[in-house]
Amino acid sequence: QVQLVESGGGLVQAGGSLRLSCVASGNTDSIIYMGWYRQAPGKEREMVAILYNNVDSDSRYGDSVKGRFVISRGDTDNTRDLQMNNLRPEDTAVYYCKARSRNDSYWGRGTQVTVSS
């Protein structure tokens, strides 16, 4: 089992920045990648950014955030930070941290990000 705890989020004006952080605990050796997803009201959950636990630290970004968001390891290999710049009202959503192992997916409880116009 893996437990995920998110922090950060909040209310920001359009054009502003926010930073999210996710810390994993438990069976972290099983994690293949960690990253962030988001879900806006009435919409499906979508991938924002993920970062693999491999030598090359491969990353993937959703098309809508490329060039504005950056995912990175935090203080430890079990932490993922998401730096969100030039935020837009359409970025408003609940942001969830996800960890993927070979057989399971684990989710955090989510943190609200609201961008005002």
Side-chain angles (χ1 to χ4, degrees), residues 27-93:
N27 188 20
T28 57
D29 289 343
S30 68
I31 295 174
I32 297 172
Y33 69 77
M34 285 177 61
W36 293 91
Y37 287 64
R38 69 186 182 187
Q39 188 166 18
K43 295 187 177 182
E44 293 186 354
R45 193 170 295 187
E46 64 174 353
M47 189 267 287
V48 176
I50 59 175
L51 182 63
Y52 285 81
N53 281 345
N54 58 13
V55 174
D56 295 330
S57 296
D58 293 327
S59 61
R60 300 285 186 272
Y61 290 90
D63 288 341
S64 62
V65 306
K66 287 179 181 177
R68 299 189 298 124
F69 292 10
V70 178
I71 189 170
S72 62
R73 282 191 177 84
D75 295 337
T76 70
D77 286 343
N78 300 324
T79 302
R80 292 293 185 271
D81 293 339
L82 184 68
Q83 179 66 39
M84 304 184 293
N85 301 319
N86 191 21
L87 283 160
R88 305 167 179 168
E90 53 264 39
D91 294 318
T92 295

